[in-house]
Amino acid sequence: MALQFKDSFWGNDFISNVGYETIIQRLNDGRRTCKDVEDLLKMRASAEEKYGKELVSIARKAGGSAEICTLKASFDEMKTQIENIGNLHVQLSGLLKEEVKRMEEFRERQKEQRKKFEVIMEKVQKSKISLYKKTVDSKKSYEQRCKEADEAEQTAERLGNAPTATPKQIEKMNNKSKQCREAAVEAEKQYKSNIEQLDRVRQEWESTHIETCEMFQQQEEDRISVIRNALWVHCNQLSMQCVKDDECCENVRKSLESCDIFTDNNNFVEMKKCNPTPPAPIEYQNYYENNASVQRNGSAGFVEGVKKRFSNLLPGNCTFGSKVNINEGVSEPPAGTSDGVYASIPGFQQFEQSSKEYKAVYDYIAQGEDELSISVGDVVVVIHEGEDGWWTVQRNGLSGLVPGSYLAKE
């Protein structure tokens, strides 16, 4: 059962206005609450707008341009969804501002309605108090006149019974007594008239008070309903925002599910791969053995040939540099001829024939027509072990030069 303002807020006495003032205080407090809710929504709208713009700024400033393949796609999706979330929060800020505007309009509308009834109540209250004071004064006058009339009548009666009173004195006192009575009757009429007027004003005041209480109670019901609905809508908006944020995050999670470690690494290898095999190891080279032939014949051409062969065994040269023929620079002049440049080298054997089996310990890709490609594990037959480190080998009917350091004894 709903309690009514009109049945609970009356004054303690006839001129008391405490009930009405209590309701007015409640309305003032309610108006202040409306303003507080407006301020809350304004601050939340400002925070949402600032947060949303910050997210958009973060998404646009984020890097990630150096990444590749599926992880790059996931990172770009993350930036896109962060920007989307930021825009959603900016939109939420706009909705909150619209709610604030509706609250302000509602508060101003209630203020105008309330003002009309406050003016009427103030007018009736003043009229009631004024007439009440007038009635009280007329009552006092009436009582005073009645007392004077009673005293005059008693005096006239005593004077009429007195043996020493003259007829003139008795007549004078009777006239005075009559005048006092007439004044008392007139005061009584005025008093009754004021009572009647005061009762009409009281009825009008009561009617106005009841109507005002009903109106103010309706305003309070509307105010509570509007604020409750505003807060409810606000919570729904926040919940919906969380759902939208989660949808954006779900898009990122789906993108991350497509992010594959092996795919990214394979993509990197295909895009940036260099040499597929490691460089040949650096072996010990005896200075005197490598330069023995030079010391014996002093031939610059032979030294250059050895250097060229040896340089091709260094890291970075064995794979991509082109190789000259093993006999280049050390060819023996035809028998019986001499060009005056190369002297015969006693005891030098141009070819050291052998038929030894070796196994390849490194992959090697031929860089020239006179070379032979080998793979790790291939078994080759060494035909000649050149002093420059290049050996002539045979495999599957094919022969060519390979680095001797790439082979190991079978």
Side-chain angles (χ1 to χ4, degrees):
M1 177 180 177
L3 300 178
Q4 302 296 317
F5 286 7
K6 64 181 180 180
D7 298 330
S8 306
F9 295 99
W10 295 98
N12 299 327
D13 51 49
F14 189 81
I15 61 174
S16 175
N17 207 25
V18 64
Y20 174 75
E21 291 175 352
T22 301
I23 296 177
I24 292 297
Q25 182 62 44
R26 170 62 178 172
L27 296 180
N28 290 335
D29 293 341
R31 179 179 174 82
R32 189 176 300 109
T33 301
C34 285
K35 189 66 171 60
D36 292 340
V37 173
E38 292 172 19
D39 292 340
L40 182 146
L41 296 179
K42 284 180 181 178
M43 290 186 289
R44 183 59 188 260
S46 176
E48 290 290 341
E49 182 177 13
K50 183 178 179 180
Y51 176 64
K53 290 181 177 180
E54 284 290 336
L55 287 181
V56 172
S57 177
I58 289 171
R60 292 177 179 177
K61 291 180 181 179
S65 58
E67 192 50 63
I68 62 173
C69 207
T70 60
L71 183 58
K72 177 177 175 59
S74 297
F75 190 76
D76 290 342
E77 181 67 19
M78 170 67 79
K79 293 192 294 182
T80 300
Q81 296 305 329
I82 289 177
E83 184 171 355
N84 291 341
I85 291 173
N87 291 329
L88 289 173
H89 281 275
V90 173
Q91 293 176 9
L92 176 59
S93 172
L95 295 176
L96 294 177
K97 290 178 180 178
E98 293 178 1
E99 188 64 31
V100 170
K101 186 176 180 180
R102 287 193 291 269
M103 287 288 295
E104 290 176 345
E105 293 174 352
F106 169 75
R107 181 165 53 85
E108 291 302 318
R109 187 167 59 250
Q110 278 207 328
K111 178 182 177 181
E112 294 299 323
Q113 294 175 349
R114 170 184 165 185
K115 186 176 181 181
K116 296 177 182 179
F117 283 87
E118 285 180 343
V119 170
I120 296 173
M121 277 297 295
E122 184 178 359
K123 181 179 178 180
V124 174
Q125 183 71 10
K126 286 182 177 180
S127 177
K128 182 186 72 168
I129 293 175
S130 175
L131 191 55
Y132 173 77
K133 291 180 178 179
K134 185 178 180 180
T135 301
V136 170
D137 292 340
S138 66
K139 179 183 178 182
K140 291 180 179 179
S141 177
Y142 162 67
E143 291 175 350
Q144 182 64 30
R145 296 294 182 269
C146 287
K147 289 180 181 179
E148 292 176 355
D150 290 342
E151 290 177 355
E153 289 175 353
Q154 291 175 4
T155 302
E157 184 178 355
R158 286 195 301 270
L159 186 60
N161 296 329
T164 57
T166 62
K168 188 176 181 179
Q169 290 176 333
I170 293 173
E171 183 180 0
K172 184 179 179 180
M173 184 57 65
N174 288 335
N175 290 335
K176 183 179 179 181
S177 174
K178 184 178 179 181
Q179 290 175 358
C180 288
R181 181 54 61 185
E182 289 176 354
V185 171
E186 186 64 28
E188 182 181 11
K189 290 181 180 180
Q190 185 62 43
Y191 174 49
K192 288 181 178 180
S193 176
N194 289 340
I195 287 293
E196 292 174 357
Q197 291 181 21
L198 181 60
D199 190 61
R200 287 195 295 272
V201 170
R202 178 191 63 78
Q203 292 178 4
E204 181 183 359
W205 172 80
E206 287 182 358
S207 175
T208 304
H209 180 79
I210 291 173
E211 185 178 356
T212 302
C213 286
E214 291 175 346
M215 180 60 189
F216 287 172
Q217 183 166 359
Q218 183 62 48
Q219 278 198 332
E220 272 299 280
E221 292 174 356
D222 293 343
R223 182 188 67 83
I224 294 172
S225 176
V226 167
I227 292 179
R228 182 190 64 176
N229 291 340
L231 297 178
W232 194 292
V233 169
H234 179 56
C235 291
N236 287 344
Q237 290 171 338
L238 297 182
S239 297
M240 184 60 65
Q241 183 65 40
C242 293
V243 172
K244 293 178 180 178
D245 289 353
D246 187 66
E247 289 176 354
C248 293
C249 293
E250 181 63 23
N251 291 334
V252 177
R253 286 190 288 267
K254 289 180 180 179
S255 176
L256 290 172
E257 288 176 354
S258 301
C259 179
D260 185 72
I261 299 173
F262 298 106
T263 300
D264 282 20
N265 282 339
N266 292 343
N267 181 267
F268 167 71
V269 171
E270 292 296 330
M271 291 175 58
K272 303 293 183 179
K273 64 181 178 181
C274 301
N275 193 5
T277 59
I282 304 300
E283 294 184 349
Y284 169 74
Q285 299 291 334
N286 188 282
Y287 173 81
Y288 296 101
E289 290 180 358
N290 292 338
N291 293 277
S293 299
V294 177
Q295 292 175 0
R296 284 196 293 270
N297 61 16
S299 173
F302 181 77
V303 171
E304 291 299 322
V306 173
K307 286 184 178 178
K308 188 178 295 185
R309 288 300 184 179
F310 180 72
S311 64
N312 288 331
L313 295 179
L314 297 177
N317 295 326
C318 61
T319 303
F320 300 103
S322 60
K323 309 301 179 294
V324 297
N325 189 279
I326 191 169
N327 295 322
E328 181 180 340
V330 295
S331 61
E332 185 179 352
T337 63
S338 175
D339 57 5
V341 177
Y342 292 97
S344 61
I345 304 174
F348 175 74
Q349 295 180 358
Q350 186 170 351
F351 295 102
E352 181 182 349
Q353 299 294 333
S354 65
S355 296
K356 304 175 183 178
E357 289 188 352
Y358 284 76
K359 180 181 288 186
V361 293
Y362 300 104
D363 293 334
Y364 177 73
I365 299 176
Q367 302 297 318
E369 296 180 356
D370 60 340
E371 297 177 5
L372 180 66
S373 298
I374 59 175
S375 301
V376 174
D378 288 350
V379 177
V380 298
V381 176
V382 177
I383 300 174
H384 171 70
E385 298 180 6
E387 293 183 356
D388 59 355
W390 289 87
W391 295 3
T392 302
V393 300
Q394 186 176 17
R395 179 178 63 84
N396 297 334
L398 300 175
S399 62
L401 297 174
V402 298
S405 59
Y406 278 47
L407 304 176
K409 190 70 174 177
E410 177 70 3

